[in-house]
Amino acid sequence: MRTVEVSAPATIANLGPGYDLMGMALDSPRDFLRASLIKSASDEIEVEGIGGDTISAEPDQNSSMVAARAVLRRAGVTGYGLKMLLKKGVPPRMGMGSSGASSAAGAFAANFLLGGTLSEIEVLECAMEGERAACGSAHADNVAPSLLGGIIAILRYDPIKVMKLRPLVGVEVVEVAPEVELAQDKTRLAREVLPASVMLRTVVSQMGSFALLLMGIMRNDPKMAGEGISGDRIVEPARAKLIPGFLEVKKAALEAGAHGCSISGAGPSVFALVPQGMGTQVGERMVDQFSAAGVRSKFSLHKISEEGAKVV
Ligand code: HSE
């Protein structure tokens, strides 16, 4: 029997206008996964930790196991089962890439147990299967940064092509988690509210924001990246109504000095990119503004991290 313990980080997807195309790894929190490869016809997984009781431990519905199984299948391994213990550190359904972290950990652990048989991009494709099991869509903007670290741009889906960008320096990330009622299939619902088509002028504006985001990151210009983050014209307007007080919270963050602010992944958390050292000041203003909308919330401060999934 071979055993490995790995961890994979929380992520923020979309970064405003980069719906399904951009995401970044955070320094904390992380999911931890202990995985063993055993001679067995079946798989077994236990889930514990933050929100662990809300996550399916059915092997064919658990994103860690689905991703790990995809690795074994892809590598042509038969006659072996996986035994796993998933310790959730990334809170589920808050917009911090919880299912992405579990999927990345599962795929990474399985590939490690096989001696690194699959390439990085093959492991990513397997991790995306975990995301599909969790929310019905195999998007990569959480799993890719959770697996590979840094800021990831997804340049193409079919076949998948990604580019790892250097984290912005001189910044911190404020994540504000509001206490709102969450559906079990929150991400699926947050994708269903998006428009099926948009006007050409909206696309033009969105492309401008995306260019600001990408160029801002590549030039390490947080102000430019922040303007891009704040400039989502398609997804954010559709989802804003799912988060009470969102527009006022965003305004408060920008007035308090944030470079940019948007919804974290599919929400309901809201994130702001802020100059290093201003996180507490911006976070407090955002929490106050949520309070004014009758919503309790908490903020946490993070760094963008180069580190993705790793052996513990
Ligand atoms: N790009 C995804 C979305 C991230 O916004 O739905 C959340 O899984």
Side-chain angles (χ1 to χ4, degrees):
M1 178 172 90
R2 294 194 68 190
T3 299
V4 68
E5 184 158 351
V6 306
S7 73
T11 52
I12 295 178
N14 300 335
L15 306 184
Y19 177 70
D20 284 359
L21 295 177
M22 293 286 285
M24 65 188 182
L26 301 180
D27 56 348
S28 66
R30 284 181 160 253
D31 275 5
F32 289 83
L33 178 71
R34 194 166 69 223
S36 306
L37 192 61
I38 45 174
K39 264 270 173 225
S40 164
S42 58
D43 299 318
E44 235 179 88
I45 183 157
E46 269 180 72
V47 188
E48 56 183 47
I50 297 170
D53 53 341
T54 66
I55 290 173
S56 174
E58 287 299 321
D60 58 351
Q61 286 164 29
N62 180 281
S63 53
S64 276
M65 185 59 86
V66 168
R69 254 288 137 215
V71 169
L72 264 57
R73 201 165 44 246
R74 184 98 175 227
V77 173
T78 53
Y80 283 86
L82 288 157
K83 195 166 183 295
M84 291 179 161
L85 173 62
L86 173 64
K87 294 177 216 160
K88 292 294 303 171
V90 185
R93 296 189 301 282
M94 289 311 296
M96 294 187 80
S98 173
S99 57
S102 298
S103 303
F108 183 81
N111 194 44
F112 186 89
L113 289 170
L114 299 184
T117 308
L118 301 190
S119 69
E120 206 168 72
I121 209 81
E122 287 173 323
V123 176
L124 171 59
E125 284 174 333
C126 294
M128 288 164 67
E129 288 308 312
E131 190 73 293
R132 191 199 302 282
C135 73
S137 154
H139 51 274
D141 51 341
N142 289 118
V143 282
S146 189
L147 188 64
L148 307 172
I151 303 179
I152 300 286
I154 292 130
L155 304 178
R156 188 180 63 213
Y157 265 95
D158 193 17
I160 187 87
K161 183 180 170 79
V162 302
M163 185 168 65
K164 183 169 173 176
L165 307 168
R166 283 225 185 84
L168 290 152
V169 295
V171 293
E172 53 189 325
V173 178
V174 184
E175 180 85 9
V176 186
E179 285 181 20
V180 291
E181 188 106 356
L182 294 169
Q184 184 66 28
D185 50 355
K186 178 261 330 177
T187 300
R188 197 185 298 261
L189 296 175
R191 294 175 78 84
E192 279 173 12
V193 301
L194 303 180
S197 60
V198 293
M199 301 292 282
L200 180 60
R201 64 171 176 272
T202 310
V203 175
V204 171
S205 172
Q206 185 82 348
M207 284 168 73
S209 297
F210 188 75
L212 283 167
L213 171 64
L214 196 57
M215 288 309 298
I217 295 167
M218 294 185 78
R219 290 165 60 164
N220 191 40
D221 182 339
K223 228 168 157 251
M224 182 187 276
E227 192 185 339
I229 287 170
S230 299
D232 177 7
R233 303 281 173 259
I234 298 174
V235 175
E236 186 187 286
R239 287 178 172 169
K241 46 187 166 289
L242 304 177
I243 307 169
F246 168 74
L247 292 175
E248 293 76 19
V249 170
K250 176 173 176 173
K251 190 162 172 265
L254 296 174
E255 282 173 4
H259 290 307
C261 176
S262 189
I263 298 169
S264 180
S269 295
V270 178
F271 82 100
L273 182 76
V274 306
Q276 180 66 46
M278 284 184 66
T280 301
Q281 171 181 331
V282 174
E284 283 172 353
R285 285 282 296 278
M286 292 169 79
V287 165
D288 284 350
Q289 202 53 57
F290 263 128
S291 292
V295 180
R296 282 180 6 171
S297 65
K298 274 195 214 125
F299 79 88
S300 51
L301 302 182
H302 308 265
K303 288 275 185 207
I304 306 170
S305 174
E306 281 273 20
E307 259 189 341
K310 61 177 182 182
V311 173
V312 177

PDB file of all heavy atoms in Angstrom, residues 199-222:
ATOM      1  N   MET A 199     -25.141  41.889 -25.670  1.00  0.00           N
ATOM      2  CA  MET A 199     -24.985  42.830 -26.784  1.00  0.00           C
ATOM      3  C   MET A 199     -23.497  42.962 -27.153  1.00  0.00           C
ATOM      4  O   MET A 199     -22.626  42.890 -26.288  1.00  0.00           O
ATOM      5  CB  MET A 199     -25.492  44.220 -26.367  1.00  0.00           C
ATOM      6  CG  MET A 199     -26.935  44.268 -25.946  1.00  0.00           C
ATOM      7  SD  MET A 199     -28.040  43.980 -27.307  1.00  0.00           S
ATOM      8  CE  MET A 199     -27.986  45.581 -28.095  1.00  0.00           C
ATOM      9  N   LEU A 200     -23.255  43.229 -28.419  1.00  0.00           N
ATOM     10  CA  LEU A 200     -21.878  43.378 -28.881  1.00  0.00           C
ATOM     11  C   LEU A 200     -21.147  44.479 -28.113  1.00  0.00           C
ATOM     12  O   LEU A 200     -19.984  44.324 -27.740  1.00  0.00           O
ATOM     13  CB  LEU A 200     -21.862  43.666 -30.390  1.00  0.00           C
ATOM     14  CG  LEU A 200     -20.476  43.846 -31.002  1.00  0.00           C
ATOM     15  CD1 LEU A 200     -19.618  42.597 -30.811  1.00  0.00           C
ATOM     16  CD2 LEU A 200     -20.584  44.181 -32.484  1.00  0.00           C
ATOM     17  N   ARG A 201     -21.834  45.593 -27.827  1.00  0.00           N
ATOM     18  CA  ARG A 201     -21.131  46.681 -27.123  1.00  0.00           C
ATOM     19  C   ARG A 201     -20.726  46.252 -25.707  1.00  0.00           C
ATOM     20  O   ARG A 201     -19.735  46.728 -25.160  1.00  0.00           O
ATOM     21  CB  ARG A 201     -21.965  47.971 -27.127  1.00  0.00           C
ATOM     22  CG  ARG A 201     -23.263  47.906 -26.387  1.00  0.00           C
ATOM     23  CD  ARG A 201     -23.898  49.312 -26.276  1.00  0.00           C
ATOM     24  NE  ARG A 201     -25.189  49.238 -25.644  1.00  0.00           N
ATOM     25  CZ  ARG A 201     -26.333  49.018 -26.289  1.00  0.00           C
ATOM     26  NH1 ARG A 201     -26.345  48.871 -27.601  1.00  0.00           N
ATOM     27  NH2 ARG A 201     -27.467  48.940 -25.633  1.00  0.00           N
ATOM     28  N   THR A 202     -21.496  45.333 -25.123  1.00  0.00           N
ATOM     29  CA  THR A 202     -21.132  44.818 -23.802  1.00  0.00           C
ATOM     30  C   THR A 202     -19.881  43.945 -23.912  1.00  0.00           C
ATOM     31  O   THR A 202     -18.985  44.002 -23.061  1.00  0.00           O
ATOM     32  CB  THR A 202     -22.301  43.972 -23.217  1.00  0.00           C
ATOM     33  OG1 THR A 202     -23.493  44.728 -23.329  1.00  0.00           O
ATOM     34  CG2 THR A 202     -22.076  43.592 -21.777  1.00  0.00           C
ATOM     35  N   VAL A 203     -19.815  43.164 -24.982  1.00  0.00           N
ATOM     36  CA  VAL A 203     -18.643  42.307 -25.208  1.00  0.00           C
ATOM     37  C   VAL A 203     -17.389  43.173 -25.387  1.00  0.00           C
ATOM     38  O   VAL A 203     -16.324  42.878 -24.832  1.00  0.00           O
ATOM     39  CB  VAL A 203     -18.846  41.403 -26.452  1.00  0.00           C
ATOM     40  CG1 VAL A 203     -17.579  40.609 -26.757  1.00  0.00           C
ATOM     41  CG2 VAL A 203     -20.008  40.462 -26.238  1.00  0.00           C
ATOM     42  N   VAL A 204     -17.528  44.257 -26.125  1.00  0.00           N
ATOM     43  CA  VAL A 204     -16.389  45.150 -26.373  1.00  0.00           C
ATOM     44  C   VAL A 204     -15.879  45.704 -25.041  1.00  0.00           C
ATOM     45  O   VAL A 204     -14.680  45.695 -24.749  1.00  0.00           O
ATOM     46  CB  VAL A 204     -16.794  46.280 -27.343  1.00  0.00           C
ATOM     47  CG1 VAL A 204     -15.698  47.336 -27.433  1.00  0.00           C
ATOM     48  CG2 VAL A 204     -17.101  45.710 -28.723  1.00  0.00           C
ATOM     49  N   SER A 205     -16.826  46.159 -24.207  1.00  0.00           N
ATOM     50  CA  SER A 205     -16.447  46.718 -22.913  1.00  0.00           C
ATOM     51  C   SER A 205     -15.786  45.641 -22.033  1.00  0.00           C
ATOM     52  O   SER A 205     -14.767  45.887 -21.364  1.00  0.00           O
ATOM     53  CB  SER A 205     -17.714  47.288 -22.264  1.00  0.00           C
ATOM     54  OG  SER A 205     -17.454  47.677 -20.972  1.00  0.00           O
ATOM     55  N   GLN A 206     -16.358  44.432 -22.081  1.00  0.00           N
ATOM     56  CA  GLN A 206     -15.816  43.331 -21.266  1.00  0.00           C
ATOM     57  C   GLN A 206     -14.390  42.982 -21.715  1.00  0.00           C
ATOM     58  O   GLN A 206     -13.514  42.727 -20.889  1.00  0.00           O
ATOM     59  CB  GLN A 206     -16.734  42.097 -21.418  1.00  0.00           C
ATOM     60  CG  GLN A 206     -16.379  40.922 -20.538  1.00  0.00           C
ATOM     61  CD  GLN A 206     -16.936  41.072 -19.126  1.00  0.00           C
ATOM     62  OE1 GLN A 206     -17.405  42.145 -18.731  1.00  0.00           O
ATOM     63  NE2 GLN A 206     -16.886  40.015 -18.357  1.00  0.00           N
ATOM     64  N   MET A 207     -14.179  42.989 -23.029  1.00  0.00           N
ATOM     65  CA  MET A 207     -12.835  42.670 -23.541  1.00  0.00           C
ATOM     66  C   MET A 207     -11.825  43.720 -23.093  1.00  0.00           C
ATOM     67  O   MET A 207     -10.671  43.402 -22.784  1.00  0.00           O
ATOM     68  CB  MET A 207     -12.860  42.555 -25.070  1.00  0.00           C
ATOM     69  CG  MET A 207     -13.483  41.257 -25.531  1.00  0.00           C
ATOM     70  SD  MET A 207     -13.825  41.255 -27.297  1.00  0.00           S
ATOM     71  CE  MET A 207     -12.221  41.107 -27.984  1.00  0.00           C
ATOM     72  N   GLY A 208     -12.258  44.961 -23.040  1.00  0.00           N
ATOM     73  CA  GLY A 208     -11.380  46.026 -22.539  1.00  0.00           C
ATOM     74  C   GLY A 208     -11.001  45.762 -21.094  1.00  0.00           C
ATOM     75  O   GLY A 208      -9.829  45.875 -20.703  1.00  0.00           O
ATOM     76  N   SER A 209     -11.988  45.377 -20.280  1.00  0.00           N
ATOM     77  CA  SER A 209     -11.702  45.092 -18.864  1.00  0.00           C
ATOM     78  C   SER A 209     -10.774  43.902 -18.730  1.00  0.00           C
ATOM     79  O   SER A 209      -9.855  43.889 -17.897  1.00  0.00           O
ATOM     80  CB  SER A 209     -13.012  44.797 -18.107  1.00  0.00           C
ATOM     81  OG  SER A 209     -13.839  45.926 -18.132  1.00  0.00           O
ATOM     82  N   PHE A 210     -11.004  42.885 -19.566  1.00  0.00           N
ATOM     83  CA  PHE A 210     -10.154  41.691 -19.499  1.00  0.00           C
ATOM     84  C   PHE A 210      -8.718  42.038 -19.886  1.00  0.00           C
ATOM     85  O   PHE A 210      -7.759  41.551 -19.273  1.00  0.00           O
ATOM     86  CB  PHE A 210     -10.712  40.580 -20.400  1.00  0.00           C
ATOM     87  CG  PHE A 210      -9.986  39.276 -20.224  1.00  0.00           C
ATOM     88  CD1 PHE A 210     -10.208  38.491 -19.098  1.00  0.00           C
ATOM     89  CD2 PHE A 210      -9.051  38.844 -21.151  1.00  0.00           C
ATOM     90  CE1 PHE A 210      -9.514  37.295 -18.903  1.00  0.00           C
ATOM     91  CE2 PHE A 210      -8.350  37.653 -20.969  1.00  0.00           C
ATOM     92  CZ  PHE A 210      -8.587  36.878 -19.848  1.00  0.00           C
ATOM     93  N   ALA A 211      -8.583  42.909 -20.892  1.00  0.00           N
ATOM     94  CA  ALA A 211      -7.231  43.335 -21.309  1.00  0.00           C
ATOM     95  C   ALA A 211      -6.546  44.099 -20.177  1.00  0.00           C
ATOM     96  O   ALA A 211      -5.354  43.906 -19.911  1.00  0.00           O
ATOM     97  CB  ALA A 211      -7.318  44.192 -22.570  1.00  0.00           C
ATOM     98  N   LEU A 212      -7.287  44.959 -19.487  1.00  0.00           N
ATOM     99  CA  LEU A 212      -6.714  45.687 -18.340  1.00  0.00           C
ATOM    100  C   LEU A 212      -6.230  44.704 -17.269  1.00  0.00           C
ATOM    101  O   LEU A 212      -5.145  44.865 -16.702  1.00  0.00           O
ATOM    102  CB  LEU A 212      -7.766  46.617 -17.731  1.00  0.00           C
ATOM    103  CG  LEU A 212      -8.059  47.927 -18.463  1.00  0.00           C
ATOM    104  CD1 LEU A 212      -9.325  48.569 -17.910  1.00  0.00           C
ATOM    105  CD2 LEU A 212      -6.886  48.894 -18.310  1.00  0.00           C
ATOM    106  N   LEU A 213      -7.059  43.699 -17.011  1.00  0.00           N
ATOM    107  CA  LEU A 213      -6.717  42.703 -15.993  1.00  0.00           C
ATOM    108  C   LEU A 213      -5.438  41.962 -16.383  1.00  0.00           C
ATOM    109  O   LEU A 213      -4.487  41.874 -15.603  1.00  0.00           O
ATOM    110  CB  LEU A 213      -7.892  41.722 -15.844  1.00  0.00           C
ATOM    111  CG  LEU A 213      -7.648  40.484 -14.980  1.00  0.00           C
ATOM    112  CD1 LEU A 213      -7.391  40.868 -13.539  1.00  0.00           C
ATOM    113  CD2 LEU A 213      -8.841  39.533 -15.061  1.00  0.00           C
ATOM    114  N   LEU A 214      -5.417  41.438 -17.596  1.00  0.00           N
ATOM    115  CA  LEU A 214      -4.282  40.638 -18.041  1.00  0.00           C
ATOM    116  C   LEU A 214      -3.006  41.481 -18.144  1.00  0.00           C
ATOM    117  O   LEU A 214      -1.939  41.082 -17.651  1.00  0.00           O
ATOM    118  CB  LEU A 214      -4.635  40.014 -19.401  1.00  0.00           C
ATOM    119  CG  LEU A 214      -3.776  38.869 -19.884  1.00  0.00           C
ATOM    120  CD1 LEU A 214      -3.755  37.720 -18.875  1.00  0.00           C
ATOM    121  CD2 LEU A 214      -4.297  38.353 -21.229  1.00  0.00           C
ATOM    122  N   MET A 215      -3.124  42.636 -18.764  1.00  0.00           N
ATOM    123  CA  MET A 215      -1.941  43.496 -18.921  1.00  0.00           C
ATOM    124  C   MET A 215      -1.464  43.993 -17.556  1.00  0.00           C
ATOM    125  O   MET A 215      -0.257  44.100 -17.310  1.00  0.00           O
ATOM    126  CB  MET A 215      -2.248  44.698 -19.828  1.00  0.00           C
ATOM    127  CG  MET A 215      -2.415  44.342 -21.288  1.00  0.00           C
ATOM    128  SD  MET A 215      -1.074  43.348 -21.942  1.00  0.00           S
ATOM    129  CE  MET A 215       0.316  44.440 -21.733  1.00  0.00           C
ATOM    130  N   GLY A 216      -2.414  44.312 -16.684  1.00  0.00           N
ATOM    131  CA  GLY A 216      -2.067  44.787 -15.340  1.00  0.00           C
ATOM    132  C   GLY A 216      -1.266  43.734 -14.587  1.00  0.00           C
ATOM    133  O   GLY A 216      -0.282  44.043 -13.913  1.00  0.00           O
ATOM    134  N   ILE A 217      -1.669  42.466 -14.727  1.00  0.00           N
ATOM    135  CA  ILE A 217      -0.939  41.384 -14.052  1.00  0.00           C
ATOM    136  C   ILE A 217       0.431  41.227 -14.702  1.00  0.00           C
ATOM    137  O   ILE A 217       1.462  41.151 -14.020  1.00  0.00           O
ATOM    138  CB  ILE A 217      -1.734  40.053 -14.106  1.00  0.00           C
ATOM    139  CG1 ILE A 217      -3.038  40.178 -13.311  1.00  0.00           C
ATOM    140  CG2 ILE A 217      -0.886  38.904 -13.564  1.00  0.00           C
ATOM    141  CD1 ILE A 217      -4.027  39.058 -13.553  1.00  0.00           C
ATOM    142  N   MET A 218       0.452  41.202 -16.021  1.00  0.00           N
ATOM    143  CA  MET A 218       1.724  40.940 -16.716  1.00  0.00           C
ATOM    144  C   MET A 218       2.736  42.065 -16.506  1.00  0.00           C
ATOM    145  O   MET A 218       3.934  41.828 -16.496  1.00  0.00           O
ATOM    146  CB  MET A 218       1.463  40.697 -18.196  1.00  0.00           C
ATOM    147  CG  MET A 218       0.675  39.402 -18.389  1.00  0.00           C
ATOM    148  SD  MET A 218       0.425  38.937 -20.081  1.00  0.00           S
ATOM    149  CE  MET A 218       1.995  38.260 -20.480  1.00  0.00           C
ATOM    150  N   ARG A 219       2.236  43.281 -16.324  1.00  0.00           N
ATOM    151  CA  ARG A 219       3.156  44.411 -16.106  1.00  0.00           C
ATOM    152  C   ARG A 219       3.366  44.709 -14.625  1.00  0.00           C
ATOM    153  O   ARG A 219       3.965  45.716 -14.273  1.00  0.00           O
ATOM    154  CB  ARG A 219       2.607  45.648 -16.812  1.00  0.00           C
ATOM    155  CG  ARG A 219       2.684  45.516 -18.320  1.00  0.00           C
ATOM    156  CD  ARG A 219       1.845  46.514 -19.047  1.00  0.00           C
ATOM    157  NE  ARG A 219       2.198  47.886 -18.763  1.00  0.00           N
ATOM    158  CZ  ARG A 219       1.817  48.923 -19.498  1.00  0.00           C
ATOM    159  NH1 ARG A 219       1.072  48.720 -20.573  1.00  0.00           N
ATOM    160  NH2 ARG A 219       2.154  50.135 -19.179  1.00  0.00           N
ATOM    161  N   ASN A 220       2.798  43.852 -13.790  1.00  0.00           N
ATOM    162  CA  ASN A 220       2.782  44.090 -12.351  1.00  0.00           C
ATOM    163  C   ASN A 220       2.331  45.518 -12.036  1.00  0.00           C
ATOM    164  O   ASN A 220       2.997  46.262 -11.319  1.00  0.00           O
ATOM    165  CB  ASN A 220       4.134  43.795 -11.686  1.00  0.00           C
ATOM    166  CG  ASN A 220       3.987  43.785 -10.178  1.00  0.00           C
ATOM    167  OD1 ASN A 220       2.997  43.269  -9.665  1.00  0.00           O
ATOM    168  ND2 ASN A 220       4.912  44.401  -9.465  1.00  0.00           N
ATOM    169  N   ASP A 221       1.175  45.858 -12.565  1.00  0.00           N
ATOM    170  CA  ASP A 221       0.566  47.166 -12.332  1.00  0.00           C
ATOM    171  C   ASP A 221      -0.779  46.906 -11.643  1.00  0.00           C
ATOM    172  O   ASP A 221      -1.805  46.721 -12.300  1.00  0.00           O
ATOM    173  CB  ASP A 221       0.375  47.859 -13.690  1.00  0.00           C
ATOM    174  CG  ASP A 221      -0.208  49.249 -13.551  1.00  0.00           C
ATOM    175  OD1 ASP A 221      -0.827  49.542 -12.507  1.00  0.00           O
ATOM    176  OD2 ASP A 221      -0.052  50.041 -14.496  1.00  0.00           O
ATOM    177  N   PRO A 222      -0.765  46.844 -10.288  1.00  0.00           N
ATOM    178  CA  PRO A 222      -1.980  46.462  -9.566  1.00  0.00           C
ATOM    179  C   PRO A 222      -3.155  47.416  -9.809  1.00  0.00           C
ATOM    180  O   PRO A 222      -4.312  46.998  -9.780  1.00  0.00           O
ATOM    181  CB  PRO A 222      -1.563  46.508  -8.089  1.00  0.00           C
ATOM    182  CG  PRO A 222      -0.084  46.450  -8.088  1.00  0.00           C
ATOM    183  CD  PRO A 222       0.374  47.055  -9.372  1.00  0.00           C
TER     184      PRO A 222
END
